[in-house]
Amino acid sequence: MLTSSAPADRQPELRHLEQLMAQLLDGVILLDPTGVILGANPAALAMHGVDTVEALGGTAEGYADRFTLWTTDHRAMRHRDYPIFKVLAGESIPDLVVEVAPAGEDEARWMHQVRDVTMDVDGGEPDYLAIVLSDVSARYDAQARFDAMFRANPAPAIIVRQRDMKLVAANTGFLALTAFEEDDLLGRSLFGLDLIDGLPDRARVQRQIEQGEVIPQTEAELLVADGSRRLVLFAGQPIDVTQEDALLLTFADLQPRRDAERSLAASEQYLRAVFEMAPVAMAIVRTSDQRLTSINAAFYALTGHAAGSLVDRTVREVGLWHDPEQQRLVATELAQGGAIRDRDLRIVTRSGIVTDCLASAEAIRIHGDACVLWVLQDVTERRRSDAELGAAIDEALKDASWLSRSILDRLASLRRPAPHVAPVELSPREREILDLVCDDLDDAAIAERLAISRNTVRNHVASIYAKIGTNRRSGAVVWGRERGMGSKRD
């Protein structure tokens, strides 16, 4: 039912308006040309948070005193720009959207979409003016939430207007990914920019975008500000939170993955070259079925098999291990610790020759498969030489009465070699003094012979002791004479 404040003599003229307005879901505020508010339907009152038409202010001026209006970007409107004054001034306001709140409040309570209606009874000057209101608060709240989410979302995204394929928004994530400025993108055509390329089926994807269809995840090349392109995964989704039909395009950066794959491929190529060219025998065995998957040339040379003949064969089929039990123990140790180093193993070549090897192995993964990298070093000849030398020494030591003690000691040291000692570097003066020490001269004699002070001699002797690892003069004499120093030699 229309709530009216019109004089009684005008009520009959409003009856047809009451009937018209009562059933409307939109709000209607009825004015006379002088600015007096004649009535308002319940929807209009609810849209202003009041119960009576008097609460609207009675006149256009009263309305402006009681309510504050802003534009959609929350800029305060001057009174003369209020829809009610524009209507009184004879201006048309098709679908103007304003924010509305009671006077004194800083935040909008409602969003009104406003249009004007002019009515006359006799065909002359307008008898009544009307403002028709639609409450679009929910729509604008949803859009505000979407805008906030869109801006804050770290995933790169753009919004493309459906009717002309122009970009209307780009979030921070997209700008950071492409290094574009917002002004470089907004208002420009998606296809005019050639923003997306490298599609598996460009025509189909372009058609889906133009028709506003859902676009499933697709790999593409995305243009960036410097003119290069980045590999991305993008998808499209129609959205209806904006005032126009639009498409939301989101992107995931795959360039780091591409760079990593390229680096990995380069590393694998490098490692493959090292593997193939290594002078020691190397082979990769898949753990699950014990099949040889990669074998280098040195491994084929060691085992006597023809190049390429061992790939995809099992270790058992090849008959590689001389002692399967020992190989089983090594496999168990590998499973527990992941690696072995310099382990004695014996393998069997294609011709049946048993070869002694030092074996090292490491558990690795190749393309997701658990594998073991084996490195084998042939030590058969070295061990044979060691055995022959040991046998010769043992034979000599059986009857050594004709050998001097020093020769026996040296033979024994060959049989049981002493730990390696780092070489000693003596200065020319130190060698000169050690020569005289080995000739049994004391410090005074050495000082007189070399025309230096006894303190200088003592300092050099102390340095010699430190370098050769002794603290006695006799030890220095033995050390020097073993190295051919002094005039008294064995």
Side-chain angles (χ1 to χ4, degrees):
M1 183 68 177
L2 178 66
T3 303
S4 175
S5 63
D9 61 346
R10 303 193 66 178
Q11 289 298 319
E13 298 178 8
L14 297 177
R15 187 171 298 116
H16 66 289
L17 293 178
E18 293 179 3
Q19 294 171 350
L20 175 65
M21 295 163 55
Q23 303 301 319
L24 292 177
L25 296 178
D26 286 341
V28 179
I29 298 176
L30 191 63
L31 306 164
D32 73 10
T34 65
V36 175
I37 298 176
L38 300 175
N41 68 351
L45 298 179
M47 289 180 203
H48 289 81
V50 297
D51 297 322
T52 64
V53 68
E54 289 77 17
L56 293 176
T59 63
E61 289 78 7
Y63 179 92
D65 290 338
R66 296 195 179 201
F67 298 95
T68 302
L69 274 63
W70 299 271
T71 60
T72 53
D73 55 358
H74 205 66
R75 289 183 297 171
M77 298 179 70
R78 297 170 297 183
H79 285 185
R80 67 172 177 268
D81 293 327
Y82 279 27
I84 196 169
F85 287 105
K86 283 183 171 289
V87 169
L88 290 172
E91 296 182 32
S92 178
I93 49 170
D95 296 326
L96 174 66
V97 178
V98 294
E99 297 180 350
V100 182
E105 295 187 10
D106 295 328
E107 295 294 330
R109 286 199 195 178
W110 308 280
M111 296 289 294
H112 293 169
Q113 186 170 349
V114 187
R115 63 185 186 276
D116 63 293
V117 176
T118 301
M119 294 166 285
D120 65 87
V121 176
D122 54 8
E125 291 296 321
D127 295 291
Y128 304 105
L129 304 172
I131 297 175
V132 181
L133 309 171
S134 297
D135 189 352
V136 293
S137 302
R139 187 182 80 189
Y140 273 84
D141 285 346
Q143 183 170 339
R145 288 193 298 271
F146 174 81
D147 288 343
M149 178 193 69
F150 176 77
R151 294 289 177 185
N153 188 355
I158 57 175
I159 297 176
V160 178
R161 190 164 53 211
Q162 195 64 51
R163 61 180 171 84
D164 56 10
M165 291 291 104
K166 290 185 176 180
L167 277 71
V168 296
N171 71 355
T172 304
F174 187 86
L175 299 178
L177 175 64
T178 61
F180 279 117
E181 297 293 334
E182 203 168 28
D183 292 341
D184 297 332
L185 301 172
L186 301 191
R188 300 188 63 183
S189 167
L190 175 69
F191 300 119
L193 281 169
D194 198 23
L195 205 57
I196 301 172
D197 199 4
L199 297 162
D201 188 345
R202 181 183 177 88
R204 177 180 60 81
V205 173
Q206 183 168 338
R207 183 174 62 254
Q208 289 175 321
I209 292 175
E210 290 172 343
Q211 295 176 359
E213 299 176 358
V214 173
I215 303 169
Q217 290 185 346
T218 305
E219 284 193 6
E221 302 275 351
L222 180 66
L223 180 68
V224 298
D226 64 4
S228 63
R229 292 189 177 272
R230 295 183 71 87
L231 180 66
V232 295
L233 186 70
F234 90 99
Q237 176 67 44
I239 53 176
D240 57 7
V241 294
T242 57
Q243 296 184 54
E244 296 184 275
D245 290 339
L247 196 67
L248 173 67
L249 300 181
T250 55
F251 301 83
D253 188 11
L254 299 184
Q255 190 64 36
R257 187 193 74 180
R258 170 187 276 180
D259 293 342
E261 288 174 347
R262 287 174 175 172
S263 296
L264 179 61
S267 297
E268 288 179 349
Q269 185 176 5
Y270 170 75
L271 292 175
R272 173 60 62 181
V274 172
F275 178 85
E276 293 293 344
M277 297 172 61
V280 294
M282 302 173 71
I284 296 174
V285 178
R286 191 164 51 227
T287 305
S288 60
D289 55 11
Q290 290 296 297
R291 290 188 181 277
L292 292 150
T293 60
S294 297
I295 303 101
N296 73 350
F299 189 93
Y300 282 114
L302 174 64
T303 59
H305 289 275
S309 64
L310 299 182
V311 176
D312 210 31
R313 296 180 63 187
T314 67
V315 174
R316 183 184 295 274
E317 290 172 353
V318 175
L320 185 64
W321 307 119
H322 177 259
D323 184 352
E325 178 60 22
Q326 185 182 34
Q327 193 276 329
R328 187 187 66 78
L329 294 175
V330 169
T332 301
E333 188 175 345
L334 263 176
Q336 294 173 348
I340 62 168
R341 293 290 183 271
D342 297 331
R343 188 62 50 82
D344 288 326
L345 284 179
R346 307 183 82 188
I347 65 170
V348 181
T349 68
R350 184 174 182 274
S351 58
I353 298 173
V354 177
T355 303
D356 292 314
C357 293
L358 276 182
S360 295
E362 183 86 21
I364 59 174
R365 297 194 75 85
I366 298 179
H367 304 306
D369 290 333
C371 300
V372 174
L373 170 65
W374 285 94
V375 179
L376 303 176
Q377 182 181 4
D378 184 0
V379 293
T380 304
E381 289 301 323
R382 189 178 76 187
R383 287 183 178 169
R384 182 180 295 120
S385 298
D386 289 347
E388 290 173 352
L389 177 61
I393 293 172
D394 289 340
E395 187 64 28
L397 291 178
K398 288 179 181 178
D399 182 12
S401 58
W402 54 277
L403 295 175
S404 70
R405 170 47 51 191
S406 62
I407 293 176
L408 288 174
D409 288 344
R410 290 186 183 184
L411 284 173
S413 69
L414 287 174
R415 190 70 180 90
R416 295 178 296 277
H420 176 71
V421 178
V424 175
E425 293 292 338
L426 298 178
S427 69
R429 176 64 83 180
E430 288 170 345
R431 294 188 64 84
E432 189 176 22
I433 290 173
L434 185 55
D435 261 330
L436 297 175
V437 169
C438 290
D439 285 340
D440 296 329
L441 273 66
D442 60 16
D443 291 352
I446 294 173
E448 183 178 354
R449 175 79 63 88
L450 300 179
I452 57 178
S453 70
R454 291 183 64 183
N455 283 339
T456 301
V457 172
R458 281 197 292 270
N459 290 339
H460 281 300
V461 169
S463 176
I464 293 169
Y465 286 177
K467 288 184 178 181
I468 66 176
T470 186
N471 58 6
R472 296 176 181 273
R473 205 173 188 89
S474 59
V477 171
V478 171
W479 189 91
R481 288 179 178 175
E482 285 182 346
R483 289 157 179 79
M485 303 180 74
S487 60
K488 299 178 181 179
R489 300 180 177 87
D490 291 340

